[in-house]
Amino acid sequence: MRHEPGRPERPFRRNDDGVVLGGVCSGLARRLGVEVATIRLIALLSVVVLGSGVAVYLALWLGVVRRGETESIFSRAMSVKREKEILFVVAIAAITFLIAFQTLGLHALGVFLWLMTLSALGVLVIWRDSSDAEREHLREGAADIVTRASSGSDKWQSVALRTGSGVVMALWGMSLLSRVGNETGAAAYVLVGAGALVIGLFVLFAPWWIRTFRDLSFERRARIRAQDRADMAAHVHDSVMQTLSLIQRSSHDAAEVTRLARLQERDLRAWLANPETFGASSSPPSTLSESALAIEREIEDNYGVGVDVVVVGDCNLNESITALLAAGREATLNAAKWSGTNNVSLYVEVETGQISMFIRDQGRGFDVDSVPDDRQGIRRSIKERMTRHGGSAVIRSSLETGTEVELHLPLHSRVQ
Amino acid sequence: MSDTERPRVFLVDDHALIRAGIRSELSAFVEIIGEADEVTAAIEMIIERSPDVVLLDVHMPDGGGLAVINGVAKVDASVKFLALSVSDAAEDVIAIVRAGARGYVTKNIEGPELVEAIRRTAAGDAVFSRRLAGFVLDAFIAKEGQLASRPSFDLELDQLTPREIEVLRLIARGYTYKEIALQLDIANKTVESHVSSVLRKLQLSNRYQLTNWATERRLL
């Protein structure tokens, strides 16, 4: 909805679009039904009169509700206890500072300083308590100024404006400083003069400074990215490229190709999941799930048979659990060697009071009863090992559906 | 849809090689009515052609499989999705199943198994891989002797019945549905209804807790 000059509007609201700062001037123009430019000109002129325009502007910014909102910034600040406390503390500090200044004898600038301090307080409240929408708008505006200051500086107008105002500020500061020694309260002139000099120099050199700073951070980011890329390239070269060349060389051997592909896949997964600790984990597995994955690695690498591990729950190792894992490894190994399939399922679950482990293949089975007693593998490595630790082992096998080895280990005490 | 009829399948994957591989493996058993390699096109074409089953890659630019499921479900909630991915990380699996996929299989699945999974999805059943079954058991059952750091939850609402747990365990051990029916002495259809019920519980369960579980599991 566009505003037409010449028709006053009610109620008085700060504008929310096409605004320079807080939308006070354009809001006022709508309320009074006059051109925005007129109001802005009056506002600018009033700033020259001891900065009174600034204080009035801020007061309206704080006290008038923004279009589309229900509460003014000031009443929002007053409705929160914490905000009230912060404002109170800062105000006390500012007044103390002003009184200290007064005793230094700065009478000429007294009113000006009071107004400036009040304004600074107002800006603080606006920054802390404006609505999210308004704050977003202000932030964009600030970012815009920074961008323009650092990039648009080749336009002669902006260079002239900046150099002009910077030089005037700096000269004024120096002239104040040079008066020291003739009158009482001279220290105050030192402070104001030094401040003006600093501001002047800042206005002169800010664009250069911002640009340098930004270039530095660009460079740093680029360097980090290059570093990441180099790490990635190094890893790809060390592992993937080597494996691919091995696969090409052994392309006649299907089992070897599968084995290499599996190995590389596992390696890449581990690296993706945790690039920082990758390669550092040469320590032996310390939990049930890590040990199960170690069995998968060992059998896949040595026998070219896929081991598909699913672990439910996890616990730390102890002597019996290590025995269970050894029995499970033996069963997996048997399946890999004798079943004739290329896939073995390994399932481990930590249940209430026991750990169960199932090793299953769907290949050639065998007659469990006809295995001669002198075959050590099953009896010694699986059954006796389990009974020694209070567990049990059941082996089911049929010629059609393959073999399943079922291991149970009771947990006598809570394992932590 | 009867068993003899060929399900109409739509393929979504951003890797041309994978699409070609799946096409050649499946074309004898299913009717592939289209394919797409990016999210927006996939959503449009799926809505237009309403396939029986969408075979969906999880990882794609612009939101991946999740975006496709959400985009299609807004218009046509009856389309069934079977997620297909190289990743078997818990957070990916759980997220896609929660979004509404009827199941999840990894890309190294063998041809006949994939055909079976598609048939089952088309019939409205759930497809649980061993790993998905393992994830569900891991997430839903609180156990003694657990590492203290391992998260799990046992909310009343999210509880699985003993029978459902039994079925999930057998899936995790590598049993097919038929073998499970034989083992538990129940009908094939009953196994399927147990699995579907678990899927429903998974989709209705507390999203925050589940996501939390999945991310923490990755950190361990």
Side-chain angles (χ1 to χ4, degrees), chain A residues 57-363:
Chain A
Y57 189 95
L58 286 170
L60 289 174
W61 194 343
L62 280 169
V64 176
V65 181
R66 190 172 187 239
R67 195 175 302 278
E69 289 173 9
T70 55
E71 236 185 336
S72 70
I73 295 176
F74 189 69
S75 69
R76 196 179 293 127
M78 285 304 113
S79 62
V80 184
K81 186 159 171 277
R82 202 182 131 69
E83 291 301 318
K84 256 197 286 190
E85 285 167 2
I86 289 175
L87 190 59
F88 183 70
V89 169
V90 175
I92 296 279
I95 288 170
T96 316
F97 170 76
L98 280 177
I99 290 173
F101 230 77
Q102 211 80 330
T103 52
L104 281 174
L106 186 80
H107 301 297
L109 287 173
V111 183
F112 178 71
L113 263 186
W114 277 96
L115 274 175
M116 285 302 106
T117 313
L118 268 177
S119 305
L121 276 176
V123 169
L124 176 78
V125 175
I126 288 169
W127 186 248
R128 289 193 59 89
D129 294 300
S130 56
S131 64
D132 292 341
E134 184 162 12
R135 200 170 320 171
E136 184 57 32
H137 172 80
L138 288 174
R139 195 168 293 148
E140 274 167 21
D144 197 36
I145 288 172
V146 172
T147 325
R148 239 184 270 168
S150 62
S151 63
S153 56
D154 32 6
K155 271 200 196 148
W156 71 268
Q157 291 102 328
S158 68
V159 173
L161 183 70
R162 201 175 52 241
T163 316
S165 54
V167 167
V168 167
M169 265 317 240
L171 285 178
W172 184 54
M174 291 214 289
S175 74
L176 280 180
L177 283 176
S178 66
R179 277 161 62 175
V180 172
N182 295 339
E183 40 199 305
T184 49
Y189 289 108
V190 175
L191 289 176
V192 174
L197 187 58
V198 168
I199 292 173
L201 292 178
F202 180 78
V203 169
L204 272 175
F205 294 111
W208 172 80
W209 181 67
I210 290 174
R211 213 163 17 211
T212 315
F213 187 73
R214 190 180 287 178
D215 288 350
L216 270 179
S217 85
F218 268 139
E219 191 189 296
R220 195 164 50 225
R221 246 177 292 166
R223 208 167 48 229
I224 291 170
R225 232 176 283 139
Q227 178 68 40
D228 279 353
R229 236 189 96 74
D231 285 350
M232 178 92 169
H235 181 82
V236 167
H237 195 266
D238 281 354
S239 68
V240 183
M241 301 298 249
Q242 305 284 0
T243 310
L244 284 177
S245 69
L246 277 177
I247 286 180
Q248 284 171 36
R249 223 182 299 158
S250 51
S251 57
H252 52 275
D253 183 352
E256 178 67 2
V257 170
T258 316
R259 192 186 74 82
L260 286 168
R262 274 205 194 101
L263 198 133
Q264 186 56 60
E265 183 189 341
R266 209 171 45 231
D267 180 85
L268 266 183
R269 271 190 207 289
W271 183 65
L272 281 175
N274 217 335
E276 285 87 27
T277 61
F278 181 82
S281 59
S282 53
S283 58
S286 67
T287 65
L288 182 66
S289 64
E290 284 172 17
S291 311
L293 291 174
I295 295 177
E296 170 187 329
R297 261 199 307 280
E298 186 204 334
I299 307 281
E300 283 192 348
D301 292 354
N302 295 331
Y303 297 90
V305 170
V307 179
D308 198 2
V309 174
V310 174
V311 185
V312 171
D314 203 357
C315 63
N316 288 323
L317 299 180
N318 63 20
E319 203 191 324
S320 331
I321 296 174
T322 312
L324 168 78
L325 283 161
R329 178 189 165 276
E330 190 67 29
T332 315
L333 187 65
N334 283 336
K337 273 207 259 184
W338 309 114
S339 73
T341 62
N342 46 24
N343 232 313
V344 182
S345 307
L346 174 63
Y347 175 67
V348 196
E349 182 180 345
V350 184
E351 296 171 63
T352 311
Q354 69 169 355
I355 300 177
S356 303
M357 194 158 173
F358 298 87
I359 298 97
R360 186 167 197 260
D361 67 73
Q362 284 166 295

Side-chain angles (χ1 to χ4, degrees), chain B residues 128-200:
Chain B
F128 268 47
S129 64
R130 289 189 59 218
R131 201 163 299 270
L132 180 52
F135 284 150
V136 175
L137 286 171
D138 202 25
F140 282 80
I141 305 176
K143 284 166 292 277
E144 269 185 76
Q146 199 66 271
L147 283 183
S149 58
R150 236 188 139 92
S152 67
F153 37 82
D154 50 347
L155 291 178
E156 293 278 322
L157 248 179
D158 295 340
Q159 276 301 334
L160 304 176
T161 66
R163 200 54 152 186
E164 285 164 0
I165 292 175
E166 243 176 317
V167 170
L168 282 182
R169 271 205 186 116
L170 286 170
I171 293 177
R173 276 160 66 178
Y175 280 61
T176 63
Y177 284 22
K178 243 181 232 144
E179 288 169 326
I180 295 172
L182 219 73
Q183 176 89 10
L184 297 180
D185 200 16
I186 52 180
N188 266 348
K189 266 277 157 239
T190 319
V191 178
E192 276 161 9
S193 79
H194 282 310
V195 179
S196 296
S197 146
V198 174
L199 183 81
R200 208 165 39 244

